[in-house]
Amino acid sequence: MLFCLTANHRNTEFDVLDRISRASSSTGADVIAAHDFVRGAVVVATCNRFETYLELDEPVTGGVVLAREAVLEAIAQKTGADAEALRASAVALSGDDVVRHLFAVSSGLESMVVGEEEISGQVQRALRAAREAGTSSTELEQAFQRAARATREVRAKADLAAAGRSLARLALDLADSRVTDWSTVPVLLVGTGQYAATTIAALQARGAEDVRVYSATGRADSFAAKYGVGAEHDLRTAIARADIVITSTARYTIGPADIPDERARLVIDLGLPRNVEPAVGSLPGIDLLDLELIGRHAALAELGAGAHEVVGSAAATFNAERAAAPAIVAWRTHVQSVLDSELTRLRADDTHTAAALRHLAGVLSHGPSTRAREFAAEGRLDEFERALETVFGLEVASGLSVVADENRAAG
């Protein structure tokens, strides 16, 4: 069974998300280590959400409650009282609802800025991180990979042009009222991470010409050369010459000591965890625009129904395939058993007949497998399973652990 505990900009305070995101790297491993019923875990921590996706053994008595507590326990070990805040705010999902939610998140339909482009990459990076940590699983791999496909379908079929798409662009929209001529404003970008390229593109689209970048990891020169901006190597000096400072980094937090003077500046913090200490906003001359404030202005028009329909269709198809997997495995196992029996009758050198029989077995397997998925999508899978039992005496295995077996059979 799939499970998700989601804390996001709609149900959880930004301060809580900020602190939890700092402890996100080990959450999946901690949950798996502490609970035998958890097969796999992927944690998605972005600028406005913290979500833990689990694959659970099935059946698990009270599985949803146990999974929720398992995640909260892991978070409590790192952040203490924030686990209690999540207990009151985060939403738990299970089964088919998890798949649809994941597909919607990856497609940007659940983002603070509806349709934002960066989220799909963040979702896939979360999967890669789980692989590297050894916490991923077959079911989670399949769900996350299909989420990427659903995202491509949404972008191909739905009109994503009208919603703004990125936090960086929305932040600059809010800054437009304070800037009369972007071409004359010195802008400093702190960080070369996930939002940096998008931010530069949004700045250049507004006519910004004096854009410089600082990186705590020493990547400023290579990044600046790639995107045609200037490079800075001392943060305090770089801030001194900037009128607008935009941060998006996991490597550095700007504090009051980094602000060199009281000259008027707009500081835009796109980071989670925070890249700018709240105390900076109280300094003379500083106007701080952070994610919490950006979120109040992010009530953009929802995407058309087309995007939601694409996500719903993709999720329904994926869930139907998972439901049909046991029946498909039963049928293909039966066909393979008959094939193996016939192959034992052949002479060792009769390779042509053996190849023909294998081809025939593949043809026989394909049609009913397709029908199983169709029946599952129509809610009639029980009819297909009864037919297998009536005609061939096949008993369909329960549970979804056979999905991996289906993949091997298909190969």
Side-chain angles (χ1 to χ4, degrees), residues 24-40:
S24 63
S25 59
S26 64
T27 299
D30 291 343
V31 172
I32 291 176
H35 302 279
D36 292 339
F37 63 86
V38 180
R39 293 184 181 179

Side-chain angles (χ1 to χ4, degrees), residues 265-329:
R265 289 184 181 83
L266 173 62
V267 178
I268 300 174
D269 182 5
L270 299 179
L272 189 72
R274 295 179 187 273
N275 295 163
V276 181
E277 295 178 11
V280 171
S282 301
L283 295 177
I286 296 296
D287 191 359
L288 177 59
L289 183 61
D290 60 12
L291 284 176
E292 186 169 8
L293 183 57
I294 293 171
R296 297 173 189 169
H297 296 271
L300 302 181
E302 288 285 334
L303 293 176
H308 295 276
E309 290 174 359
V310 172
V311 166
S313 176
T317 298
F318 179 75
N319 288 326
E321 290 177 354
R322 293 174 66 239
I328 293 172
V329 168

Side-chain angles (χ1 to χ4, degrees), residues 164-188:
R165 296 317 159 254
S166 89
L167 290 171
R169 294 190 185 111
L170 177 58
L172 295 182
D173 286 344
L174 296 176
D176 276 339
S177 61
R178 316 174 200 200
V179 178
T180 55
D181 184 0
W182 280 97
S183 67
T184 64
V185 177
V187 180
L188 173 66

Side-chain angles (χ1 to χ4, degrees), residues 39 89 101 364:
R39 293 184 181 179
S89 65
H101 176 75
L364 290 173

